[in-house]
Amino acid sequence: MTSNSPEDKAAATALKVQGNKAFAGHDWPGAVDFYTQAIEKYDADPSFFCNRAQANIKLEAYGYAVADATKAIELDKDYIKAYWRRAIANTAILHSQDALRDFKTVCRKEPNNKDAKLKLSECEKLVKKINFLKAIEVADPPSAFEGLDLDSIEVDQTYDGVRLQKEMTQEFIDDMIERFKNGKKIHKKYVFQIIKAVRDIVHDEPTMVEVEVASETKLTVCGDTHGQYFDLLEIFRLNGYPSEKQGYLFNGDFVDRGSWSTEIALLLYAYKWLRPKYFFLNRGNHETDDMNRVYGFEGECKAKYNEKTFRLFSESFSALPLATLIGKKYLTLHGGLFSDDKITLDDIRKLDRHTQRQPGQAGLMMEMLWTDPQPQPGRGPSKRGVGLQFGPDVTKRFCENNGLEAVIRSHEVRMDGYEVEHDGRCITVFSAPKYCDTTENKGAYINLGPELKLEYHQFEAVPHPDIKPMAYATNSPLMNMM
């Protein structure tokens, strides 16, 4: 119960100062905690809510950020920063019209604010682009692979890399790794070849791939890598490069935000092509068109290769499996569990992901890519503004009904790189350390041997060339918000 006494206000202000210190140290969860304590002591200061909104934006809890900014505006109708933060949060969850309204308010209240004018212009362009794409959208578009004649594409004599023939080779991958480290690209013919080969492989895999860990082998589960190529190479350096003894499962969100997303996607695809039975890819919520348009992958494909590259990747993403069942014990999927307790593994097996290419705003696919755990029992509205949250009782029932030990998921930053929740039944793994160059989190990955015991490994971010996150997110109000 809050009060408005001077003593409580002073105590709350002191907590806000601690929150500001945590925020300055990039400890976003700590900042949220201090701002929440301040609000619990004194809930009449709009800056407490506005500051918590900014910390929630850093945590990608955009739904919470919108709610906090809205509360700040209710307390002070002229609080420019709150309109600004609500606009950024709405942009992040693709509520572009709502964002546009708030950017217009900021420009009206501060007509000389150049940053606001720039963001308004970017948001207007984004809304026009979204509306245009909706207008030309057809129910069943032709395949981007239609008419793709790889044999007709010549690789000129000046190309200085290893040449790819009809099959992927370790030699080509080794050369590609070094080229990407040195800021070079591979020839567009090879890009097209790799994407087509992998699209064909994953298209024929079930919606839920079922794998066993053979004797004398290891399977490593990695979470989001988000275009952080040099940190991906650090995983391989520490844990071993993919081989028939060292399998990998990458649990979605390979691309967007980080500015080496094409490099990561092509490297993961090349390994999938080389060792399809030992290397697995689950789709994440960022392997989708609407996210790629806002968070950089579309722009990066066009900048480094061409628009055709993005369209091929887009179609291949929609062919990716949505889940992997490891040893009949661990369901691994990007987001989390469902709005209905009746959902079973068989429902996932039966899901036709090829008919519905994009996850949309509701349904099984959306929930598999977007939902998050919460500590409270039951289900609740999503802190992101998309999907929902599920409690420990939901996880317990799902695991018991389906004979599982746990659900392994990704989708959220964890400061330690991983977190075990819901009495051990819900495990989050996140593999992008120092996320977006601003969050002081570790990365992590999980190893499983034939006995299916989970071994957690943490790692730190490594240096990378001086290219900022979201470098290719053209016409997005999210540019430079990090």
Side-chain angles (χ1 to χ4, degrees), residues 1-15 37-38 40-43 48:
M1 190 75 178
T2 55
S3 76
N4 294 335
S5 72
E7 294 80 11
D8 282 334
K9 184 176 181 180
T13 302
L15 286 163
Q37 290 180 56
E40 286 168 353
K41 285 228 173 265
Y42 182 81
D43 62 0
F48 298 172

Side-chain angles (χ1 to χ4, degrees), residues 248-417:
Y248 277 91
L249 165 57
F250 282 84
N251 195 30
D253 282 15
F254 327 125
V255 302
D256 280 341
R257 293 194 179 276
S259 295
W260 290 270
S261 290
T262 57
E263 287 82 357
I264 281 194
L266 288 167
L267 180 55
L268 296 184
Y269 271 30
Y271 274 123
K272 178 64 181 175
W273 186 8
L274 182 65
R275 294 190 176 87
K277 300 298 183 188
Y278 303 93
F279 199 91
F280 304 96
L281 302 170
N282 284 344
R283 188 179 190 179
N285 68 302
H286 277 268
E287 280 71 56
T288 56
D289 286 356
D290 51 4
M291 302 300 278
N292 294 159
R293 290 185 185 118
V294 173
Y295 286 93
F297 184 60
E298 181 184 38
E300 185 180 336
C301 286
K302 290 177 179 178
K304 292 180 180 176
Y305 296 101
N306 53 26
E307 185 176 357
K308 179 80 169 175
T309 300
F310 173 67
R311 289 196 290 116
L312 293 172
F313 264 126
S314 167
E315 195 166 329
S316 74
F317 287 164
S318 69
L320 288 169
L322 302 178
T324 303
L325 181 63
I326 303 172
K328 299 182 178 61
K329 283 188 172 186
Y330 301 104
L331 176 67
T332 308
L333 74 174
H334 182 71
L337 297 180
F338 312 102
S339 55
D340 185 349
D341 276 343
K342 295 187 182 71
I343 297 297
T344 67
L345 295 181
D346 274 342
D347 292 304
I348 300 173
R349 289 184 180 101
K350 293 172 189 171
L351 177 62
D352 180 5
R353 71 190 192 277
H354 299 309
T355 302
Q356 180 190 345
R357 288 181 52 183
Q358 301 299 323
Q361 295 295 308
L364 202 59
M365 185 190 295
M366 182 280 289
E367 292 177 357
M368 293 176 73
L369 300 185
W370 275 99
T371 62
D372 295 297
Q374 65 179 23
Q376 306 87 359
R379 294 177 174 87
S382 171
K383 62 188 173 188
R384 297 173 185 271
V386 183
L388 57 95
Q389 294 181 183
F390 57 94
D393 55 330
V394 175
T395 306
K396 181 175 187 284
R397 286 193 297 272
F398 181 82
C399 288
E400 288 176 350
N401 291 344
N402 291 279
L404 299 173
E405 281 198 18
V407 173
I408 299 174
R409 42 90 63 185
S410 302
H411 194 41
E412 291 181 281
V413 181
R414 291 293 188 260
M415 299 308 286
D416 289 327

Side-chain angles (χ1 to χ4, degrees), residues 218-223 231 234-240 246 248 414-420 427-433 441-449 451 453-461:
K218 181 173 67 176
L219 178 65
T220 300
V221 180
C222 298
D231 296 316
E234 180 70 356
I235 294 173
F236 292 153
R237 185 188 74 81
L238 292 169
N239 193 57
Q246 171 61 72
Y248 277 91
R414 291 293 188 260
M415 299 308 286
D416 289 327
Y418 73 95
E419 186 174 2
V420 181
I427 297 148
T428 299
V429 59
F430 192 83
S431 304
N441 64 294
K442 294 182 172 68
Y445 50 89
I446 305 171
N447 283 331
L448 298 93
E451 68 289 346
K453 299 296 182 191
L454 303 180
E455 295 177 4
Y456 302 96
H457 296 266
Q458 298 170 299
F459 67 103
E460 302 284 352

